[in-house]
Amino acid sequence: MSASATSADLLIREIRADEFHRLWPLFQAVIAPGDTYSYPPDLTMEQACEWWTTPPSRCFIAESNGEILGCYMLRPNQPGLGDHVANAGYMVSPAARGQGIAGILCEHSLQQAREAGFTAMQFNFVVSTNNSAVRVWQRHGFTIVGQVPGAFRHATLGPTDIYVMHRYL
Amino acid sequence: MSASATSADLLIREIRADEFHRLWPLFQAVIAPGDTYSYPPDLTMEQACEWWTTPPSRCFIAESNGEILGCYMLRPNQPGLGDHVANAGYMVSPAARGQGIAGILCEHSLQQAREAGFTAMQFNFVVSTNNSAVRVWQRHGFTIVGQVPGAFRHATLGPTDIYVMHRYL
């Protein structure tokens, strides 16, 4: 990988449950520090796979030379009368940080969401101390529309606020 | 029922899936107008029952003389490192509105949440035009911590903002 990833470097494609095991090492590496996701430390692959691949949730991976560098999940944020708003969650391999992959994943997810008919996207749980993530989402059109005090038990910082972020598509 | 319900008038108790069918007519009556909940109009009892009674979700009903006048669902708002924050949703029978039942249910849920070890409660999807609900939650200590534009397709008002509301326990 070059120091700055481009869409051309990455093959982004949707996967189903049968390939989730390939993603699991990255998934575990991202949640292990307990600084960005609320997933429990003892999360099983089976539970993660169910959350990320069971319709209406859709799972996408970004590969370069057969190595998975990132992934995201796309789904309706609510059922029924709220299902025009998408929700997404992104992960980048710790070894592939600083290459712009989060932004590439975000753009890809926005396009997928548009094609699926969503008219907005909402993040429910952006950890407020995750500055790099907050900046990337802002650069891609999201604004902070809510702040919930202490909703995340950060592994090293303790009770930490989370942001709700939103943009139209 | 008297014009103003008291806790003494109501028996509030937890139910499991096997009793959910008794609650279903009220549930349907509440979601049918499409003005407060995002549940799809064609929601099945089976799906509703699963959402409201499958652990960690817990379902409570409020009865008076054997008639169900309201209900609520209590659960962690997030898994793992966010599971200290409770989430709840409340329904009051259209025939029993204006008797203070929502407030009684809310107080009951706050106590149940404390007893279960939660330290805060968050509502993710309070329809901003549902003034009576917003006032009740504010009276019971909740504040608006977020506002998502157009996240609810209100049956008569069209795209409508939703509030995120929060209180410590």
Side-chain angles (χ1 to χ4, degrees), chain B residues 44-118:
Chain B
T44 64
M45 186 179 83
E46 289 66 32
Q47 180 65 75
C49 179
E50 186 187 322
W51 283 335
W52 275 53
T53 69
T54 303
S57 291
R58 299 169 63 192
C59 181
F60 295 78
I61 60 170
E63 289 176 299
S64 177
N65 297 319
E67 188 185 0
I68 301 178
L69 301 183
C71 61
Y72 73 86
M73 179 264 292
L74 179 69
R75 63 179 174 189
N77 197 48
Q78 294 284 339
L81 304 177
D83 70 1
H84 56 296
V85 180
N87 170 248
Y90 310 83
M91 293 184 175
V92 175
S93 166
R97 300 272 163 85
Q99 301 179 13
I101 293 175
I104 294 171
L105 291 174
C106 185
E107 277 306 311
H108 194 273
S109 71
L110 293 170
Q111 188 53 34
Q112 288 291 322
R114 285 185 198 100
E115 291 175 11
F118 294 106

Side-chain angles (χ1 to χ4, degrees), chain A residues 38 81 83-84 145 147 150 153, chain B residues 38 81 84 145 147 150 153:
Chain A
S38 65
L81 304 177
D83 69 1
H84 56 295
V145 296
Q147 179 168 358
R153 300 196 304 278
Chain B
S38 65
L81 304 177
H84 56 296
V145 296
Q147 179 167 359
R153 300 196 303 278

Side-chain angles (χ1 to χ4, degrees), chain A residues 76-150:
Chain A
N77 197 48
Q78 293 283 337
L81 304 177
D83 69 1
H84 56 295
V85 181
N87 171 248
Y90 310 84
M91 293 184 175
V92 175
S93 165
R97 299 271 163 86
Q99 301 178 14
I101 293 175
I104 294 172
L105 291 174
C106 186
E107 277 306 311
H108 194 273
S109 71
L110 293 170
Q111 187 55 34
Q112 288 291 322
R114 285 184 199 99
E115 290 175 12
F118 293 108
T119 58
M121 189 179 284
Q122 177 179 340
F123 302 149
N124 303 303
F125 207 85
V126 180
V127 175
S128 61
T129 51
N130 191 357
N131 296 316
S132 58
V134 172
R135 275 198 304 269
V136 172
W137 311 149
Q138 287 175 326
R139 205 150 55 221
H140 289 272
F142 288 83
T143 57
I144 295 169
V145 296
Q147 179 168 358
V148 186

Side-chain angles (χ1 to χ4, degrees), chain A residues 1-6 9-10 63-65 67 69 96 99 101 104:
Chain A
M1 289 292 294
S2 62
S4 180
T6 67
D9 294 323
L10 292 172
E63 289 176 300
S64 178
N65 298 319
E67 189 186 357
L69 301 183
Q99 301 178 14
I101 293 175
I104 294 172

